[in-house]
């Protein structure tokens, strides 16, 4: 693509106007991928400054550079384009380079502290169930047709997003549901995505720290940006920040809830249990019509997720009966997922990795009246230190036994993290075990469990890795749970 076409929509300065006619084969922001006829865009990150890698990109053959400031040591045969913000530029240029694929698709963005993964994946399943070729982008990866692609971030970088959407479109995908993280909004990754619908699930204290959001208000405001990017908003009216989202939206909105007046309102909620299967039945009102339904995951938060899906897919024209049929049978890996590994003990894995998410899971499972509630969990290293106390406080309040273990310790000693979590249990009746090896922690929890107990293994869910010393080390939570259960059964 000609450089002038890549720069459409951007305010910029260029050192040589004639160079606007140069051809660009690809946009690069990792100097190791640079080669002749690529363009290197310098991003200023938390740990790395792209300016430090400009000469490396030059040595690999790159001659076109997008920068925020002039660099004195650049050779004279370079084309330099100055912009005010290279992240914003990357978003615009990526959309230009891949031909604005989001404009040719139905795009649904889901933001919130929790529920994003479940809602996005449910939407994909409902749409696919009625013959609409849909994909999903988020925490669990990128899925469409027979493709499964890992993602490093919940919301990929703008270049990867546009590249993925172009690949989806070329493969016949006409709709995509994607998780939109606060980090993705903050770092301009979705600035040029054409959202048809934006969904707000909820907001609670999370991702606050030197490597994430400086304040809760900044976190909240980043979330609200989605409703300046989409054509239609769907808002959880039960959340205390619902009005804030609605007031700051530049699009029309609709609402859903359990406890407040809304456009989609649930009531008569009843927990259901059939063997290992945990679910919930409820009735919801919409435009004066009452509808009874049942979903295959438990808890009030599952009802809210289902309402978000109902509101979204009905807006997109999917028949209500088809939506309810799909919701009655689908589950999401690692989201309050019951694993039938022990005959007389309910074993659940869940992605809950902050206080509010863990509290939702634990209180939901307590409604099923287990004899004892045992929870295995840890907390991430090097980030969101406040999570340790939040998680510990919740477990100390609701659990009979807490087994503290490793969960993405990164460059921290997991034992130090465990000891910090343990401070929450000083005045608690909850029994505490400290076992840094996560697989051993699962095993000990299940060995302790008696008939009628529930064991919750929280923090990883669908993930298949542990972050250790800055690296993703393979770790399959589900497989390790199965192995631990087999050990317990053999010993009995």
């Amino acid at each position: 693509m000609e450089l002038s076409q890549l720069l459409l929509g951007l305010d910029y300065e260029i050192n040589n106007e004639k160079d606007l006619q140069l051809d660009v084969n690809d946009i690069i922001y990792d100097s190791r991928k640079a080669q002749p006829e690529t363009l290197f865009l310098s991003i200023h990150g938390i740990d790395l400054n792209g300016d430090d890698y400009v000469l490396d990109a030059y040595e690999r053959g790159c001659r076109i550079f997008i920068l925020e400031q002039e660099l004195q040591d650049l050779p004279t045969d370079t084309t330099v384009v100055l912009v005010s913000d290279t992240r914003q530029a990357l978003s615009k240029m990526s959309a230009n380079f891949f031909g604005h694929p989001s404009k040719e698709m139905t795009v649904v963005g889901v933001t919130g502290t929790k529920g994003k993964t479940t809602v996005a994946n449910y939407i994909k399943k409902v749409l696919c169930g009625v013959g609409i070729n849909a994909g999903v982008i988020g925490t669990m990866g990128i899925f469409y047709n027979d493709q499964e692609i890992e993602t490093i971030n919940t919301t990929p970088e703008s270049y990867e997003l546009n590249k993925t959407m172009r690949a989806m479109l070329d493969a016949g995908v006409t709709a995509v549901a994607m998780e939109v993280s606060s980090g993705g909004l903050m770092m301009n990754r979705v600035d040029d995505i054409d959202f048809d619908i934006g969904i707000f699930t909820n907001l609670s204290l999370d991702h606050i720290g030197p490597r994430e959001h400086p304040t809760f208000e900044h976190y909240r405001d980043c979330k609200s940006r989605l409703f300046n990017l989409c054509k239609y908003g769907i808002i959880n009216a039960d959340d205390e920040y619902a009005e804030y989202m609605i007031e700051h939206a530049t699009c029309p909105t609709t609402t859903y809830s359990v406890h407040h007046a809304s456009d989609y309102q649930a009531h008569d909620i009843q927990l259901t249990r059939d063997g290992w299967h945990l679910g919930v039945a409820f009735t919801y009102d919409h435009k004066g019509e009452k509808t009874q339904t049942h979903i295959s995951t438990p808890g009030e938060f599952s009802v809210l997720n289902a309402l978000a899906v109902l509101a979204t897919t009905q807006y997109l024209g999917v028949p209500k009966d088809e939506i309810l049929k799909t919701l009655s049978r689908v589950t999401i890996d690692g989201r309050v997922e019951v694993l039938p590994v022990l005959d007389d003990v309910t074993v659940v894995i869940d992605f809950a990795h902050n206080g509010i998410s863990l509290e939702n899971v634990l209180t939901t499972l307590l409604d099923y009246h287990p004899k004892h509630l045992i929870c295995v969990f840890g907390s991430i290293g090097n980030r969101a230190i406040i999570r340790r106390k939040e998680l510990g406080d919740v477990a100390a309040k609701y659990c009979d036994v807490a087994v503290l273990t490793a969960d993405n310790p990164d460059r921290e000693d997991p034992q130090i993290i465990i000891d910090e979590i343990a401070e929450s249990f000083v005045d608690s009746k909850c029994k505490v075990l400290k076992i840094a090896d996560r697989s051993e922690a699962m095993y000990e929890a299940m060995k302790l469990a008696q008939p009628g107990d529930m064991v919750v293994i929280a923090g990883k869910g669908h993930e298949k890795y542990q972050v250790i010393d800055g690296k993703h080390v393979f770790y399959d939570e589900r497989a390790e749970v199965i192995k631990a259960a087999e050990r317990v059964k053999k010993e009995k």
Side-chain angles (χ1 to χ4, degrees):
M1 178 177 284
E2 193 174 89
L3 179 58
S4 62
Q5 298 298 306
L6 268 183
L7 297 174
L8 284 176
L10 281 174
D11 291 327
Y12 63 88
E13 295 178 11
I14 188 168
N15 63 343
N16 190 340
E17 291 284 339
K18 292 180 180 179
D19 289 349
L20 288 171
Q21 298 176 7
L22 292 173
D23 284 329
V24 177
N25 288 339
D26 205 356
I27 301 168
I28 301 299
Y29 51 93
D30 180 341
S31 65
R32 293 169 295 185
K33 297 178 181 179
Q35 55 184 290
E37 296 191 1
T38 59
L39 173 154
F40 179 78
L41 187 143
S42 173
I43 290 179
H44 295 227
I46 296 172
D47 295 317
L48 300 174
N49 183 342
D51 290 355
D52 296 334
Y53 298 89
V54 166
L55 291 179
D56 181 53
Y58 179 87
E59 290 172 1
R60 294 172 188 267
C62 182
R63 293 295 181 268
I64 306 174
F65 299 91
I66 309 294
L67 309 172
E68 291 181 6
Q69 60 185 4
E70 292 186 14
L71 301 180
Q72 294 182 350
D73 52 354
L74 264 181
T76 57
D77 63 337
T78 55
T79 300
V80 177
V81 180
L82 296 179
V83 296
S84 60
D85 188 315
T86 51
R87 283 197 174 275
Q88 291 177 358
L90 179 60
S91 175
K92 184 73 68 180
M93 294 169 67
S94 297
N96 290 338
F97 187 71
F98 291 105
H100 295 271
S102 64
K103 292 182 180 296
E104 301 177 58
M105 312 169 79
T106 297
V107 182
V108 179
V110 189
T111 199
T113 303
K114 57 187 186 294
K116 297 187 296 296
T117 299
T118 298
V119 171
N121 279 275
Y122 275 9
I123 289 169
K124 175 189 181 293
K125 290 176 183 287
V126 169
L127 295 178
C128 288
V130 295
I132 297 171
N133 193 342
V136 67
I137 300 171
T139 305
M140 296 174 67
I142 297 166
F143 299 87
Y144 65 96
N145 296 345
D146 58 349
Q147 298 291 311
E148 297 183 14
I149 304 166
E150 280 190 33
T151 52
I152 297 174
N153 301 305
T154 296
T155 305
E157 189 55 80
S158 55
Y159 176 90
E160 278 72 29
L161 266 181
N162 281 278
K163 182 178 182 179
T164 295
M165 288 185 175
R166 173 50 61 188
M168 285 180 166
L169 197 59
D170 291 346
V173 174
T174 59
V176 60
M178 62 174 289
E179 299 178 50
V180 185
S181 67
S182 58
L185 287 156
M186 176 177 67
M187 292 185 277
N188 308 103
R189 292 174 183 164
V190 295
D191 282 6
D192 294 276
I193 300 299
D194 190 51
F195 290 102
D196 293 278
I197 299 173
I199 302 170
F200 170 69
T201 59
N202 48 67
L203 191 66
S204 56
L205 189 65
D206 198 17
H207 298 293
I208 313 301
R211 302 178 66 85
E212 298 178 276
H213 298 280
T215 64
F216 176 78
E217 290 73 23
H218 186 268
Y219 176 52
R220 175 201 63 196
D221 291 347
C222 284
K223 291 288 190 187
S224 71
R225 285 195 62 223
L226 178 61
F227 303 98
N228 302 140
L229 298 171
C230 64
K231 302 180 183 73
Y232 188 70
I234 295 174
I235 309 290
N236 173 14
D238 280 347
D239 190 83
E240 63 178 306
Y241 296 98
E243 283 301 319
Y244 185 90
M245 296 296 163
I246 293 170
E247 288 171 5
H248 288 77
T250 56
C251 62
T253 60
T254 194
T255 55
Y256 63 95
S257 72
V258 172
H259 299 293
H260 293 79
S262 64
D263 299 305
Y264 286 80
Q265 186 167 7
H267 53 86
D268 298 332
I269 296 172
Q270 298 180 352
L271 300 180
T272 63
R273 185 170 190 169
D274 180 13
W276 281 302
H277 301 288
L278 307 178
V280 60
F282 64 96
T283 300
Y284 76 92
D285 294 340
H286 177 57
K287 294 184 176 179
E289 182 180 353
K290 293 186 177 182
T291 304
Q292 291 184 324
T293 189
H294 179 269
I295 55 178
S296 297
T297 50
E300 185 176 293
F301 62 89
S302 295
V303 174
L304 288 167
N305 290 340
L307 291 174
V309 176
L310 276 159
T312 301
T313 50
Q314 278 198 261
Y315 178 78
L316 294 175
V318 180
K320 180 175 67 175
D321 291 346
E322 294 294 332
I323 303 169
L324 298 179
K325 186 191 302 182
T326 301
L327 288 176
S328 70
R329 61 175 184 260
V330 299
T331 58
I332 303 298
D333 291 349
R335 267 53 180 185
V336 201
E337 180 183 4
V338 180
L339 298 182
V341 292
L342 295 176
D343 292 335
D344 47 9
V345 174
T346 302
V347 180
V348 178
I349 63 172
D350 191 82
F351 187 58
H353 56 285
N354 57 41
I356 190 70
S357 296
L358 185 61
E359 184 171 33
N360 282 338
V361 172
L362 296 181
T363 55
T364 292
L365 295 177
L366 282 171
D367 287 339
Y368 287 90
H369 306 294
K371 287 186 178 179
H372 300 97
L373 186 58
I374 302 169
C375 186
V376 181
F377 71 98
S379 189
I380 192 169
N382 298 112
R383 288 194 301 158
I385 305 300
I386 193 173
R387 282 189 193 173
R388 300 170 193 183
K389 176 171 170 50
E390 292 173 353
L391 288 162
D393 288 352
V394 167
K397 181 177 180 181
Y398 295 108
C399 294
D400 297 292
V401 180
V403 185
L404 309 183
T405 190
D407 182 356
N408 296 341
D410 202 356
R411 292 182 171 86
E412 282 195 74
D413 181 344
Q415 196 61 55
I416 292 174
I417 299 173
I418 288 169
D419 289 341
E420 290 182 3
I421 297 171
E423 293 175 7
S424 292
F425 296 85
V426 172
D427 297 317
S428 171
K429 295 180 180 179
C430 177
K431 180 179 178 180
V432 178
L433 300 179
K434 300 179 181 181
I435 306 173
D437 185 296
R438 191 171 178 90
S439 297
E440 284 299 312
M442 296 174 186
Y443 163 72
E444 290 295 336
M446 284 187 269
K447 188 169 75 170
L448 279 174
Q450 301 298 311
D453 289 353
M454 284 188 174
V455 177
V456 185
I457 302 167
K460 302 209 70 65
H462 68 283
E463 287 183 349
K464 287 185 167 56
Y465 62 83
Q466 283 269 40
V467 180
I468 299 172
D469 292 329
K471 297 178 181 179
H472 284 58
V473 179
F474 180 78
Y475 187 85
D476 187 332
E477 184 93 315
R478 185 182 287 100
E480 293 301 318
V481 170
I482 293 169
K483 287 180 189 176
E486 289 300 320
R487 285 177 63 190
V488 170
K489 286 190 286 189
K490 284 180 180 178
E491 292 174 4
K492 286 186 177 180

